[in-house]
Amino acid sequence: MMLQALISYAEREGLGDSDFETVGVRWLISLDRNGQLAGNPIPLSDDPDEKKPRPKRIVRPKSDPDFVSHGRSYFLCDSLERSTIFVDDEEKREKRRINQKYFVSLLEQAALDCSTESNALQALAGFLCNENMLAELYSRLKAVKAKPSENVAFTVDGQNLLESNALKAWWRQARQSQRNEQEKNESVCLATGKYGPVCRTTGFIKLLGEDTKLISFNKECPAFESFGLSQAANAPVGIDAEEKMRSAFNRLIDVSRNQGLVFSNAIHLHWTRQPIIADPIDLLSTADEKAVESLLKSIQSGQPPVAFDDNAYYALSLSSNGSRVVVRDWLETTVPEMKKHVAEWFEDLGIIHPDGHAIKRDFKFGALLYGMVRKDLEELPPQISTQLLHGALRGRFVPLPQSALSAALRRLQVEFKKPDDKSDPKSNPARIALIKACLLRSPNRSTTNNQTSTTVMTECLNSESHDPAYLCGRLFAVFDRLQYLALGSVNAGVVERYYASASTSPALVMGRLFRNAQFHLAKAEGGLATNVSKDFESITTTLGDKFPASLSLEEQGRFAIGYYHQKAEYRRRSAERKDAEAKS
């Protein structure tokens, strides 16, 4: 179904022309009618005002990348190194002379067949064969810091050769002649079910800067030749179908890259059968506060039942393994279902703001991932981001990976051990929101110590909870607060010294902290100390005098949320007290 959905998308968007393709072109070189340089290379971009302008997207004649890589070239528009031999390495330069010779031969062949463009093509061919003129071009390219791999187009006497209708018609005819001369393999296409010519090899998919293939059999040995079939004939795909699939892949990859849906060497594609105005998956990357609020309201107000003819929604996660595409996840659903699941995702992420005054839900997907790493998302295995997205798009009944919960808790413990770190890990709501969502969607969510997970994992402080792990987290925040009231700021306090052990083995350290708290209670004075003392008594009465010997992974998550909730509550009280004092 994935292949059919890609083909439908390509047909809808007018992609998959077997003779022409859209590529990024960085430079335009202008020649006069005599084949002399008419100025400096002109940089091309779709938006020159961007901080790092991307090459301009231009349609050029298409060739098989495998064909080009074996000493050939594209027609009219190619990289600087293949078309002009703009490369410093002498060994590579000799190889590129072969490519350029083929580039010039195409110009000369077209000049013989297209009388209207003959003069311009001959002028360009003459320029490319003139060593002195190329030397002048190289100096100008170096002055503008051009790269050998960047694509270039040419104008002659003000005429852009890529826009010539005569040359376009010539190229289509030349391509058809090439196809007629090639060896033909015929079979039933896996994607369309039609019998006809199938690809001997497939083209490249530009995945995360690498040339990759979805279908690849490059070993010529009996083990890779089922029923005598060789190369891509083992998984036959029609020539037109392959062209459309590859074009769809490349377009969707560009869209997802621009949207920032690339995490841990995995890229996440999404599209619909019919165009839509607002794509719900976009909210995962942007997390626009108003858009999230609007989505939640629309879901809560009720929606019509999902019908069979609802617009289909597709999501696909890809990574690469060498030169091959790895399909990590595939989802086919409907737009209404997708909206519902994305709304549930933001609902489950809801957590009290660190200041204790409002519920925050608008967490970007990237912010959740960064909550599990020290600095770079490369620290995460690729499957974690894919599994998290998988859970976000499939609704509440799909558990989130325990590896994500473990990574978030481990990062929390590590950061609490850094008393000299200026960051405030206890105020990272994205990390706590992820922990909460993992617990809510845990396969063990049905009951937790005779309480439902939903009861335990509330958005803000739950003073009615009797969960031991949650209470231990709250009590640890009380210990921290009492120390601050008694001693003020210290370099290595309760949190920095004991959080890791208290959140995993409370019985080992809580007794010592309990005794220290008694001294801090005696030393602290004023109304603030009285209020904290009430919290201390309330929590210890509910918890009892027996602390858990150890906490499981999910219990550590509830400990972290209990601590976070209690700290947010103290910040809320402090803000209200300051406001009251300011008004009095």
Side-chain angles (χ1 to χ4, degrees), residues 318-339:
L318 303 174
S319 64
S320 62
N321 181 11
S323 61
R324 290 174 174 82
V325 172
V326 178
V327 178
R328 295 196 169 274
D329 193 26
W330 163 249
L331 169 65
E332 180 182 354
T333 182
T334 63
V335 173
E337 279 295 304
M338 181 61 66
K339 288 182 179 179

Side-chain angles (χ1 to χ4, degrees), residues 190-203:
L190 291 177
T192 64
K194 297 179 180 179
Y195 184 84
V198 294
C199 298
R200 181 176 59 84
T201 60
T202 59

